[in-house]
Amino acid sequence: MKKCPECGNPSYDGAPVCGNCGFKFPKQKVAAPKGEDIFQKERKEKKTSNEDSILNIIKQKKLIIGIILLITLIVICGIVLTGSNNKSSPIQTTADVGEFSAGDFSFKYPKGWSEVNETDDSHPGAKFFRNNENTSIEYYNVSTQHTSLKEVTQERISYAQETGSFVELVETITLDGRNASNIILENADGDYTRFVSMFSDGELYVFKISGDSINSITSNEINDMINSADIA
């Protein structure tokens, strides 16, 4: 309730005029609604649990990839170190190397090999060496009626089968820029023999390596010696 300022007569709050004296009540001011602040800072939304889990998965994958790369690097280093510590190490420097030369044929061999006085009744003048693993390395060359390396290889295989040897390997390799045959036989007594033959102008140049295992006749130092063969 409100009172008329002129006569004091009470009137209800919303009455426009006084019912007693007719005084017009002033209109009430209506407070304007408070406007929204358009510059109000937006509230940052918190990351959902799904976003957190995705980030965790990404981080875990990066960690797994890093571990795999580290393991791969360790394995590669191990292989390199194992290879460098091979018992049958290759020829390293010229100070460790001896050279055999006969006519137009030559090859290099480790000075640790010893020259031995052995004979081959089928090939007089053959040269013999023995390495630290007690593997025998024989070299000889002969004139032959064969016209190709293929004929030489076939004859070698036929003879091996006649004498009870088992042919483990027959392949063609390249030595001194020309084809050569590489044959590995398991003999009837369980030992192994390897024949590496080069053929040129009716001459046959042969390495005959004998040992108690395939590893002994295919070691790095023996392969290095064979690869050093040179026909002038």
Side-chain angles (χ1 to χ4, degrees):
M1 295 292 288
K2 60 184 178 180
K3 290 183 179 182
C4 177
E6 292 293 330
C7 65
N9 186 60
S11 299
Y12 62 91
D13 290 336
V17 296
C18 176
N20 182 43
C21 67
F23 177 80
K24 293 183 179 180
F25 293 113
K27 293 182 179 179
Q28 294 183 353
K29 295 182 179 180
V30 180
K34 186 177 181 181
E36 294 183 358
D37 187 356
I38 60 174
F39 299 103
Q40 183 179 2
K41 294 183 180 179
E42 295 183 358
R43 296 178 61 188
K44 294 183 179 179
E45 296 183 359
K46 294 183 178 180
K47 294 181 179 179
T48 64
S49 58
N50 286 339
E51 290 176 342
D52 290 339
S53 62
I54 291 174
L55 289 175
N56 289 333
I57 292 173
I58 293 174
K59 291 178 180 178
Q60 290 174 1
K61 285 186 177 181
K62 287 182 178 179
L63 179 61
I64 293 172
I65 293 173
I67 293 173
I68 293 173
L69 291 175
L70 179 60
I71 293 174
T72 303
L73 181 61
I74 292 172
V75 171
I76 292 174
C77 291
I79 293 173
V80 172
L81 291 176
T82 302
S84 63
N85 292 328
N86 192 299
K87 184 177 179 181
S88 301
S89 57
I91 300 170
Q92 296 294 333
T93 64
T94 55
D96 302 324
V97 177
E99 184 171 0
F100 172 81
S101 180
D104 58 356
F105 188 83
S106 64
F107 62 87
K108 296 179 176 60
Y109 63 92
K111 283 188 175 179
W113 290 7
S114 57
E115 297 185 27
V116 291
N117 187 18
E118 295 184 13
T119 58
D120 183 341
D121 293 338
S122 300
H123 307 100
K127 187 75 172 181
F128 288 86
F129 298 88
R130 194 169 294 276
N131 67 10
N132 295 331
E133 295 181 349
N134 202 35
T135 300
S136 173
I137 301 97
E138 176 185 357
Y139 163 74
Y140 61 85
N141 79 286
V142 294
S143 298
T144 178
Q145 299 298 320
H146 295 302
T147 59
S148 68
L149 186 63
K150 181 178 179 180
E151 291 181 3
V152 174
T153 302
Q154 289 176 338
E155 182 181 64
R156 181 77 65 196
I157 294 172
S158 297
Y159 180 76
Q161 292 173 338
E162 290 174 3
T163 57
S165 297
F166 177 77
V167 180
E168 287 279 353
L169 174 68
V170 179
E171 65 177 354
T172 300
I173 60 177
T174 301
L175 296 176
D176 191 28
R178 66 191 74 210
N179 288 338
S181 67
N182 182 38
I183 302 174
I184 296 179
L185 306 175
E186 181 180 0
N187 305 323
D189 59 4
D191 288 339
Y192 290 83
T193 303
R194 179 183 181 186
F195 292 93
V196 178
S197 305
M198 301 174 68
F199 179 77
S200 177
D201 297 330
E203 291 290 320
L204 188 62
Y205 306 87
V206 181
F207 291 111
K208 179 182 178 182
I209 303 105
S210 303
D212 58 4
S213 68
I214 290 182
N215 289 338
S216 67
I217 63 176
T218 58
S219 65
N220 289 341
E221 63 178 16
I222 287 178
N223 287 337
D224 284 347
M225 179 273 297
I226 292 171
N227 288 327
S228 72
D230 178 68
I231 300 177

